[in-house]
Amino acid sequence: MNLQPNHEQIPLREYAERAYLDYSMYVVLDRALPFIGDGLKPVQRRIVYAMSELGLAAGAKPKKSARTVGDVIGKFHPHGDSACYEAMVLMAQPFSYRYPLIDGQGNFGSPDDPRSFAAMRYTESKLHPIAEVLLAELGQGTVDWSPNFDGTLEEPSWLPARLPHVLLNGSTGIAVGMATDIPPHNLREIATATIRLLEHPGSTVAELCEHVRGPDYPTAAEIITPHEDLLELYEKGTGSVRARAVYAVENGNVVIHALPHQVSPSKVLEQIAAQMRAKKLPMLEDLRDESDHESPVRLVLVPRSSRVDTEAMMQHLFATTDLEKSYRANLNMIGLDGRPQVKNLRTILGEWLKFRTATVTRRLQHRLTKVERRLHLLEGLRIAFLNIDEVIRIVRSEDEPGPVLMRRFKLSQEQADYILETRLRQLARLEEMKINAEADKLEEERARIEVLLKSPTKLKRLIREEITADAEKFGDARRSPLVEREVAQALDETDLVAAEPITVVLSKKGWVRAAKGHDVDAEGLNYREGDALAAYALARTNQHIAFIDSTGRSYSTPGHTLPSARGNGDPLTGRFSPPAGARFDAVASGGNDTRLVLVSDYGYGFVTRFASLLSNKKSGKQLISLPGDAHVLPPAATAEPARDRIVVATTAGHLLMFSVAELPELERGKGNKLISIPKARLESGEERLAGVAVVAEGSGEVTLFAGQRKLILKWADLVEYGGNRASRGGLLPRGFRRVDSIRTSG
């Protein structure tokens, strides 16, 4: 016997594609994205509906949260209880929801740790009064009902929201291939914008933004996003919002009393403390958390002194901690057509108004149906009252009085049944007035409803009045002030270091260290065996230190990172990667605009700014070209090139002074000749440039060193050696014909 298979055979690829698409649509429509009508995801809608069914209205006594969660997962949402409870807690946290829907009693978490809420067996909850906006019209024929997961009950497909709740509390969610990040907004602003669009359907997004000025988070942190960016967000449906903490200066201390949405005070303190431990906040002495019930957020920062620029310090903290935070905005939601879409503000409010118009129409139609049915029954009751004796006779004498009543008085089945179910005393003479009064009142109501249903203008007026009433009842002032500010920038690393004087000491074998102060005897320091002083420079801890090797390459590092002079220091080869065989010959420091005279012992040099010596590469950068076996000499700083004088001396005792202005200012290169040295003597090494010094016109003096002897030349003495650049200069006195080095005195 041939049996037909009871299964379908399809390719695995097709099956996988179909299954994944089904799963994707389930995640998008039934889990992650809110519906534009009531602004709720299915789990939120089911929680609110289940609580209303449990009688947990705002005026009722709260019940254990476990009771609510049990009803939700047992009747409507067959998922994990912990996930359901977390969704419920989120709707009860005033620091998470702008307008909480649930009134929780017990530990529902804190701004410091929103997930620190107690287990559901300990907490109690009921609906918040504002939940009335979602539930008040539920039983008035305003929604479609669908079977629950097992088909034993029915649940609402949406809730008849009286306000655009999708924008009031916002929503976040991650679906498959899409996500939503809708920020919360102020109820009054949304209500007035909705009314504006209701009365003027042609309103643009820019006109609506006259009312909706921006998001309104549950905290009082400032929204610093420019108006143009917020307008673009509402026009495109995507963008970002930046919020910044609010602080005040009290008795010299900085007190932070409002943090951005979902920012933990303890995390902010941890971030600041980490910078303090890393010595990146020298201007801050202490910090403490003084938050309590009266002041939920009160973080106190104690500056090191009254001279600290608190504004600059806070700008740095805004840029490097969560005191300033950016939030992504993606107005993605399920529209009235059942499809997810990123919508702009006008589309959102326009679609919601269609939803609200349809809801109000259904509510009125439902009420009209009930009124007409009641009038129909009252009409039958009036007929029975006017013919009470005949009705009683028929009821007493007939086995089936219903059909007889219908034929005798031309009643409907419903009217006849209602008469037969009515108690006899309700047909007493005094009831006639009540019947007529009720009928008259219902006739008026029917006429009013019919007018509303036939007149779009009056229907709009009703919707506007209801929105206005809810805005007055549940609305409040904006919490997040809108203050346009520039995005904070972190301070440069050098600006974060105290400007303490140091002497940077470089040894001949390339070891470096930094001694505190400028009165350090660099030659008198202890050196490793076989090592000695090569060069030193006076600097500050907040400056960069530049090193020049024997190939003319320059390297730099922050001064505060150099090791202390208590030891022998660290080798520069651990910080930099110079060419093989190169040694470090010179060290310099200063501000970026500090001008330095760079020279080689071949007698060539140029003026450059200190910024030209800086390099962020371990391999450095080529700075000065060194011909032959030339070496770079310690650079000299010049403050006023137009007035300063350069003093150069050769190892053979020739001295020359000329204007700094005669040298070119270059970023790199060989430079120009400073003093004339015979080529043969230069190449043989018999005579080289011993050093360079820069003196101020009219007041400078230099010191020459020749072995153990030194010679101090004052301005009057130096004038005798003045001449043109690249000339031979004058010969020094006997005893100084073998110059070792030259330095500026003082």
Side-chain angles (χ1 to χ4, degrees):
M1 183 171 62
N2 239 348
L3 293 176
Q4 293 291 333
N6 60 355
H7 60 272
E8 179 186 6
Q9 290 187 350
I10 59 174
L12 179 61
R13 175 181 177 181
E14 183 180 337
Y15 169 77
E17 181 179 349
R18 184 190 304 173
Y20 188 71
L21 285 174
D22 289 345
Y23 167 74
S24 301
M25 291 305 297
Y26 163 73
V27 172
V28 170
L29 299 179
D30 289 340
R31 280 177 60 180
L33 302 187
F35 174 55
I36 193 172
D38 57 14
L40 299 174
K41 301 177 186 180
V43 63
Q44 297 169 330
R45 185 180 302 119
R46 288 162 176 165
I47 290 171
V48 172
Y49 174 65
M51 292 184 74
S52 70
E53 289 294 289
L54 283 171
L56 296 176
K61 182 180 178 182
K63 293 182 180 179
K64 287 289 186 182
S65 300
R67 174 76 181 276
T68 300
V69 173
D71 264 34
V72 173
I73 65 176
K75 294 180 178 178
F76 310 112
H77 198 70
H79 297 278
D81 59 343
S82 60
C84 178
Y85 182 51
E86 286 181 17
M88 179 179 171
V89 167
L90 190 68
M91 291 191 288
Q93 292 177 335
F95 49 85
S96 295
Y97 258 43
R98 181 63 178 83
Y99 300 97
L101 298 176
I102 295 175
D103 183 5
Q105 297 188 16
N107 179 12
F108 275 81
S110 66
D112 203 38
D113 186 5
R115 298 183 64 84
S116 62
F117 50 84
M120 57 185 171
R121 60 182 178 274
Y122 299 120
T123 62
E124 295 182 344
S125 55
K126 61 180 180 178
L127 290 172
H128 199 278
I130 200 172
E132 171 193 333
V133 172
L134 299 173
L135 294 166
E137 300 174 359
L138 186 60
Q140 300 178 23
T142 52
V143 302
D144 292 340
W145 296 78
S146 56
N148 67 339
F149 63 91
D150 61 2
T152 58
L153 297 170
E154 285 194 333
E155 60 177 318
S157 300
W158 61 82
L159 297 181
R162 299 203 307 251
L163 291 171
H165 181 258
V166 69
L167 291 175
L168 300 187
N169 279 319
S171 184
T172 60
I174 300 175
V176 178
M178 64 180 65
T180 183
D181 289 282
I182 306 172
H185 292 80
N186 184 268
L187 191 154
R188 290 176 180 171
E189 293 181 7
I190 294 296
T192 54
T194 305
I195 292 172
R196 170 78 173 264
L197 187 61
L198 178 68
E199 295 178 342
H200 306 282
S203 299
T204 64
V205 173
E207 291 171 338
L208 295 177
C209 284
E210 294 175 6
H211 307 278
V212 182
R213 298 182 296 152
D216 188 22
Y217 292 99
T219 69
E222 296 176 344
I223 294 178
I224 64 172
T225 306
H227 173 73
E228 295 75 15
D229 293 349
L230 291 175
L231 180 60
E232 184 179 1
L233 184 160
Y234 290 120
E235 286 178 340
K236 294 183 177 179
T238 58
S240 63
V241 180
R242 185 171 287 271
R244 177 182 291 181
V246 178
Y247 71 93
V249 178
E250 299 179 7
N251 300 322
N253 297 334
V254 176
V255 179
I256 301 169
H257 52 80
L259 293 175
H261 182 45
Q262 295 178 331
V263 169
S264 165
S266 61
K267 184 179 179 182
V268 170
L269 290 178
E270 182 182 340
Q271 291 172 334
I272 299 175
Q275 293 190 46
M276 294 177 67
R277 288 193 296 270
K279 298 183 179 180
K280 293 184 177 180
L281 280 177
M283 70 285 286
L284 199 59
E285 181 178 357
D286 190 21
L287 71 160
R288 56 182 181 266
D289 187 355
E290 296 183 356
S291 306
D292 53 26
H293 290 292
E294 293 184 0
S295 304
V297 176
R298 183 178 171 83
L299 307 182
V300 181
L301 310 181
V302 183
R304 191 168 294 276
S305 72
S306 59
R307 296 188 302 274
V308 171
D309 186 347
T310 55
E311 177 67 24
M313 179 184 73
M314 291 307 298
Q315 287 292 319
H316 175 75
L317 292 177
F318 288 144
T320 57
T321 69
D322 284 345
L323 288 175
E324 183 173 308
K325 191 173 181 181
S326 181
Y327 302 89
R328 186 180 68 167
N330 182 23
L331 309 184
N332 191 8
M333 62 195 72
I334 299 172
L336 297 180
D337 57 0
R339 297 180 179 180
Q341 184 184 6
V342 177
K343 304 176 186 291
N344 63 29
L345 179 62
R346 185 180 184 281
T347 303
I348 293 172
L349 296 181
E351 281 198 40
W352 185 84
L353 282 173
K354 290 181 182 178
F355 167 82
R356 182 59 187 160
T357 302
T359 301
V360 173
T361 301
R362 290 180 63 165
R363 185 190 78 201
L364 293 174
Q365 192 64 55
H366 177 77
R367 178 59 184 167
L368 180 61
T369 302
K370 292 184 69 174
V371 167
E372 289 178 339
R373 178 175 180 272
R374 181 61 180 167
L375 284 172
H376 183 62
L377 295 177
L378 289 177
E379 181 62 27
L381 201 59
R382 183 185 288 110
I383 292 173
F385 179 81
L386 295 174
N387 301 276
I388 184 65
D389 295 335
E390 181 69 10
V391 170
I392 292 174
R393 187 193 64 77
I394 292 173
V395 171
R396 291 181 63 183
S397 60
E398 299 292 339
D399 293 335
E400 294 290 340
V404 178
L405 288 173
M406 293 170 62
R407 289 192 301 271
R408 174 68 179 81
F409 301 109
K410 297 181 180 179
L411 301 174
S412 67
Q413 179 72 52
E414 191 177 21
Q415 286 175 318
D417 292 340
Y418 184 68
I419 291 171
L420 293 174
E421 292 170 1
T422 301
R423 293 180 180 180
L424 190 61
R425 70 178 182 181
Q426 288 181 259
L427 298 177
R429 181 170 297 276
L430 292 177
E431 290 297 320
E432 180 182 9
M433 295 177 62
K434 293 182 180 180
I435 294 173
N436 292 333
E438 183 181 358
D440 292 342
K441 186 177 180 181
L442 291 176
E443 287 286 359
E444 291 178 5
E445 184 178 358
R446 177 169 66 178
R448 183 178 62 83
I449 293 175
E450 288 177 344
V451 169
L452 287 172
L453 290 174
K454 292 177 181 178
S455 173
T457 302
K458 293 184 177 180
L459 187 63
K460 282 184 179 181
R461 186 184 305 159
L462 174 63
I463 295 172
R464 182 190 63 195
E465 291 172 354
E466 291 177 349
I467 292 175
T468 302
D470 286 331
E472 291 178 357
K473 183 176 182 180
F474 300 110
D476 57 4
R478 166 175 281 275
R479 292 186 190 173
S480 302
L482 292 160
V483 184
E484 290 192 21
R485 301 185 190 275
E486 294 292 331
V487 176
Q489 299 293 330
L491 294 175
D492 187 81
E493 187 175 5
T494 56
D495 295 331
L496 294 171
V497 178
E500 298 175 354
I502 55 172
T503 301
V504 181
V505 180
L506 175 65
S507 75
K508 290 183 178 180
K509 291 189 176 181
W511 287 64
V512 68
R513 48 186 156 165
K516 291 184 178 181
H518 284 169
D519 55 350
V520 177
D521 180 9
E523 292 186 17
L525 295 176
N526 293 324
Y527 292 89
R528 297 164 60 89
E529 186 176 354
D531 203 358
L533 174 68
Y536 71 91
L538 303 182
R540 292 190 174 273
T541 49
N542 64 338
Q543 294 178 330
H544 275 76
I545 313 299
F547 302 90
I548 306 173
D549 70 10
S550 56
T551 66
R553 298 186 71 82
S554 175
Y555 312 80
S556 63
T557 189
H560 70 274
T561 65
L562 296 177
S564 169
R566 294 176 182 175
N568 293 319
D570 293 337
L572 284 176
T573 51
R575 293 172 178 259
F576 311 124
S577 302
R583 67 179 183 278
F584 292 95
D585 288 337
V587 58
S589 183
N592 285 348
D593 290 330
T594 300
R595 289 180 173 86
L596 300 174
V597 178
L598 292 182
V599 299
S600 69
D601 62 358
Y602 260 48
Y604 290 86
F606 58 92
V607 177
T608 190
R609 296 178 187 265
F610 181 74
S612 301
L613 279 67
L614 302 180
S615 172
N616 55 8
K617 297 180 181 179
K618 293 188 67 176
S619 59
K621 68 177 183 179
Q622 191 65 42
L623 178 67
I624 182 170
S625 300
L626 299 175
D629 60 347
H631 299 112
V632 66
L633 296 177
T638 172
E640 297 184 55
R643 298 184 67 248
D644 288 348
R645 297 289 187 268
I646 293 177
V647 181
V648 292
T650 70
T651 56
H654 285 269
L655 188 72
L656 175 65
M657 182 177 73
F658 60 91
S659 174
V660 174
E662 293 188 49
L663 281 183
E665 184 171 328
L666 307 173
E667 290 188 2
R668 64 177 65 87
K670 177 182 177 181
N672 292 356
K673 182 182 289 188
L674 281 73
I675 189 170
S676 177
I677 302 175
K679 184 177 181 181
R681 295 172 64 85
L682 195 62
E683 292 179 349
S684 65
E686 186 177 350
E687 184 179 1
R688 295 286 178 90
L689 193 65
V692 60
V694 175
V695 296
E697 181 183 10
S699 60
E701 63 179 50
V702 298
T703 303
L704 299 171
F705 296 88
Q708 298 297 320
R709 290 176 294 179
K710 64 179 181 180
L711 174 65
I712 298 177
L713 297 176
K714 296 188 177 182
W715 178 254
D717 303 319
L718 292 173
V719 170
E720 298 180 7
Y721 296 93
N724 296 323
R725 179 187 62 80
S727 62
R728 184 61 173 155
L731 199 60
L732 290 167
R734 289 185 180 275
F736 289 91
R737 303 286 173 85
R738 300 297 301 175
V739 177
D740 295 324
S741 62
I742 178 174
R743 297 177 194 167
T744 304
S745 301

